[in-house]
Amino acid sequence: MRTVIQRVKYASVTIDVVVRSAIKTGLLVLVGIEDADNDEDVLWLAKKICNLRVFDDDNGVMNRSIIEADGEILLVSQFTLHASTKKGNRPSYIRASKPEIAIPRYEQFCDEIALQLGKPVQTGEFGADMKVELLNDGPVTIIIDTKNRE
């Protein structure tokens, strides 16, 4: 699983001019899934994201997690995170899982993040043409790939 995590003041997902989901202070997490991803990846990544210390403490130091900051999370599926650009100029998405594998894994990830966070998460819609709007706070942007955890 590959993620791009952005600390935001707000973020939203709009589909067909209708806002599907929106959050205020929190994390926008773009997540790409590949066939090699498993339950262990889901658990490890959910725990890592919910415990990342990227929110300011009382001294203005990034020392608080999303849980401690009482923030929200918006999870958006993003198959293009597994783009390969090694050959030519047209990215290949062969590593990205097909919907029959990716959807259940994405839903499992959403459920695990909500469990770790202690409250529901907001989501995009898998496979939809989504317009994502955000105000990156910092900016703070972190990339985590479960295949590079060691």
Side-chain angles (χ1 to χ4, degrees):
M1 296 177 75
R2 184 172 292 161
T3 57
V4 174
I5 302 154
Q6 296 179 296
R7 186 179 74 181
V8 298
K9 289 290 187 185
Y10 67 82
S12 65
V13 172
T14 301
I15 302 169
D16 295 327
V17 302
V18 176
V19 175
R20 173 187 166 94
S21 298
I23 64 168
K24 293 185 180 167
T25 300
L27 298 174
L28 169 64
V29 180
L30 306 176
V31 57
I33 297 168
E34 62 181 319
D35 290 355
D37 295 329
N38 58 38
D39 293 346
E40 184 180 323
D41 293 314
V42 168
L43 295 172
W44 180 86
L45 187 56
K47 184 175 181 181
K48 179 63 80 175
I49 289 170
C50 289
N51 289 288
L52 277 177
R53 298 185 324 180
V54 295
F55 291 89
D56 291 350
D57 62 16
D58 294 336
N59 297 318
V61 177
M62 287 195 297
N63 202 27
R64 295 172 52 202
S65 70
I66 185 81
I67 296 167
E68 295 164 319
D70 195 31
E72 300 177 277
I73 294 180
L74 173 56
L75 293 170
V76 178
S77 62
Q78 184 78 45
F79 77 93
T80 61
L81 291 179
H82 284 292
S84 173
T85 56
K86 290 182 181 180
K87 293 183 181 178
N89 293 316
R90 183 184 176 115
S92 168
Y93 304 105
I94 197 150
R95 284 191 51 206
S97 290
K98 301 288 186 252
E100 56 272 12
I101 293 172
I103 291 172
R105 188 66 70 199
Y106 170 72
E107 290 172 349
Q108 177 190 15
F109 184 61
C110 291
D111 291 345
E112 187 60 34
I113 288 276
L115 182 67
Q116 295 277 335
L117 186 61
K119 59 184 169 185
V121 296
Q122 299 296 310
T123 65
E125 181 178 317
F126 195 94
D129 181 15
M130 297 176 275
K131 307 304 180 211
V132 179
E133 183 178 3
L134 68 134
L135 178 60
N136 193 318
D137 180 20
V140 174
T141 302
I142 297 171
I143 299 169
I144 299 177
D145 190 321
T146 59
K147 304 307 182 253
N148 295 331
R149 64 179 133 176
E150 298 191 20

